[in-house]
Amino acid sequence: ALYSVGLPVPGRPLCDLDLVSLLRLGLVGKLKRVLLWLLVVYVSIPVIIKLCPSIQAKLVFLNFVRLPYFIDLKRPLDQGLNHTHNFYLEPETGLKIGVWHTVPAQMWREAQGKQGDWYDSMLTSTHPLILYLHGNAGTRGGDHRVQLYKVLSSLGYHVVAFDYRGWGDSDGSPSEGGMTSDALFIYDWLKQRLDTKTPIYIWGHSLGTGVATNLVRRLCDRGSPPGALILESPFTNIREEAKSHPFSMVYRYLPGFDWIFLDAITANNIRFASDENVNHISCPVLILHAEDDSVVPFHLGKKLYNMASQSKSLSGHKVQFVPFSSSLAYKHKFIYRSPELPNILRYEQQNFL
């Protein structure tokens, strides 16, 4: 019987087959322990999130993930932006947020060695301005963001980007209300300095699209809509985005998923309800989305477009949806690479924006 299961027999030397059997038994034991630990982790995560919903807020914002590391946000020149000024504003007393102002590329030579006063004076030029609202994680110095600033600058736009409270070198802690307030403060600050005929376009990416629609809704509610709203990789609302996010895949079909994970987001007053906001927006809207976006699935951007195109408040305003084929591999954050993007923006500005 001992021979039949490959176990060593007393008084008989171990053969190669016996050693293999022992190794297999050891591996099976290790595999069982690993699987047990994975099961414990799998069960623990929902319990922890339900008990501590603030963890879910951190996962939405990811402001603690600062990529690239060791970047000096005071020196945009280090990121190849030699016509960009770094400065700080205070949306609230004692709360400073970091801001970059990149002038149009044709001004880069004149910009060398210039200080803040010169950059402020350039806001009175006739060049349009894009206020960029970035997504979660990283800072205003993230590589894909910097590359987009360069594209927009080359097209003759001023580009103003900033880190919300709690991101980058900005003070404070993140919240949806705080992010929206910061964006509104920057918008008003710019509006006071721009020529009255110079348009401001709001560009939001990913989570920043939720901030963008919040901001534009407020502007429209007070009767001062921006020149246009540009949404790159948008979603409908944060609950639908969280349910579609690849990180939720292992829990998506778990009974009580909404109660455990999504209600924890709502408990932190995080909604980013762009699907509601489009019913209160009255300015041209341009939506850009890559078909192979796995972070914010393409179907959410398309769904938001369908809602916006049926919005009564947007009646009479151009609502445009531009998809990018999966074959281009732009995914979630590389639409700036599209050689067609400059033509898209020129066409939209000349005809609709």
Side-chain angles (χ1 to χ4, degrees):
L2 290 174
Y3 281 111
S4 65
V5 295
L7 295 175
V9 178
R12 174 181 170 273
L14 289 172
C15 67
D16 290 343
L17 185 59
D18 295 329
L19 289 173
V20 170
S21 299
L22 288 173
L23 287 172
R24 285 178 178 172
L25 288 172
L27 288 174
V28 169
K30 288 181 180 179
L31 182 59
K32 286 182 178 179
R33 287 193 292 272
V34 170
L35 291 174
L36 179 61
W37 275 110
L38 289 175
L39 179 62
V40 170
V41 171
Y42 181 83
V43 173
S44 298
I45 288 176
V47 173
I48 292 171
I49 286 179
K50 192 60 186 178
L51 293 176
C52 305
S54 60
I55 294 176
Q56 188 73 322
K58 295 183 183 299
L59 295 176
V60 170
F61 297 130
L62 290 178
N63 60 302
F64 56 89
V65 179
R66 181 169 172 169
L67 295 172
Y69 292 106
F70 310 118
I71 180 177
D72 185 356
L73 292 170
K74 295 182 177 65
R75 291 179 51 83
L77 177 62
D78 293 346
Q79 309 309 309
L81 294 171
N82 60 359
H83 52 312
T84 299
H85 173 57
N86 175 73
F87 60 103
Y88 298 90
L89 295 174
E90 284 195 5
E92 297 175 9
T93 303
L95 178 76
K96 69 175 179 63
I97 55 176
V99 187
W100 281 358
H101 172 200
T102 301
V103 295
Q106 51 263 54
M107 298 181 183
W108 78 268
R109 194 179 300 277
E110 189 181 357
Q112 303 313 300
K114 296 297 193 298
Q115 302 301 316
D117 290 344
W118 179 85
Y119 280 86
D120 280 356
S121 69
M122 290 301 101
L123 290 173
T124 60
S125 69
T126 58
H127 293 274
L129 183 145
I130 288 180
L131 175 58
Y132 180 77
L133 306 174
H134 70 65
N136 68 355
T139 68
R140 63 189 183 277
D143 183 65
H144 65 284
R145 294 162 187 163
V146 169
Q147 298 308 317
L148 179 63
Y149 309 158
K150 291 178 180 178
V151 171
L152 298 177
S153 173
S154 71
L155 297 175
Y157 294 100
H158 289 276
V159 182
V160 173
F162 68 97
D163 280 315
Y164 318 104
R165 62 187 71 189
W167 270 264
D169 56 354
S170 297
D171 298 332
S173 301
S175 68
E176 180 178 356
M179 296 164 74
T180 305
S181 294
D182 292 344
L184 182 60
F185 175 83
I186 296 288
Y187 181 91
D188 287 340
W189 185 88
L190 290 168
K191 202 67 177 174
Q192 292 169 8
R193 287 157 177 78
L194 289 169
D195 184 276
T196 54
K197 297 180 180 179
T198 302
I200 299 180
Y201 304 134
I202 309 299
W203 186 306
H205 173 244
S206 192
L207 190 66
T209 63
V211 183
T213 62
N214 282 350
L215 168 62
V216 175
R217 176 177 177 172
R218 286 200 188 184
L219 296 175
C220 292
D221 283 348
R222 73 184 192 185
S224 56
L229 171 62
I230 303 168
L231 302 175
E232 178 189 358
S233 308
F235 51 88
T236 48
N237 60 71
I238 196 62
R239 289 178 71 97
E240 287 196 348
E241 160 55 15
K243 198 165 189 174
S244 302
H245 197 280
F247 287 169
S248 71
M249 189 179 302
V250 294
Y251 291 105
R252 196 173 298 159
Y253 304 105
L254 182 74
F257 174 86
D258 288 16
W259 178 71
I260 296 170
F261 292 95
L262 304 187
D263 288 356
I265 297 175
T266 306
N268 285 280
N269 294 317
I270 303 173
R271 298 181 67 243
F272 292 113
S274 293
D275 51 355
E276 294 180 14
N277 290 337
V278 294
N279 292 315
H280 301 269
I281 289 174
S282 53
C283 69
V285 177
L286 171 63
I287 297 177
L288 311 171
H289 214 133
E291 293 177 350
D292 58 339
D293 189 336
S294 60
V295 178
V296 180
F298 180 79
H299 71 86
L300 290 184
K302 188 69 174 178
K303 183 177 181 180
L304 182 63
Y305 164 72
N306 291 334
M307 293 176 170
S309 62
Q310 297 172 16
S311 167
K312 292 181 179 179
S313 66
L314 284 167
S315 177
H317 297 282
K318 181 68 176 180
V319 179
Q320 183 79 5
F321 184 85
V322 179
F324 295 85
S325 172
S326 298
S327 62
L328 299 170
Y330 294 153
K331 300 186 182 295
H332 183 58
K333 56 185 182 182
F334 301 117
I335 287 178
Y336 72 83
R337 294 177 179 172
S338 172
E340 294 302 316
L341 183 60
N343 293 331
I344 293 168
L345 295 178
R346 287 193 193 101
Y347 177 79
E348 294 294 331
Q349 183 177 348
Q350 291 170 4
N351 292 278
F352 307 113
L353 303 186

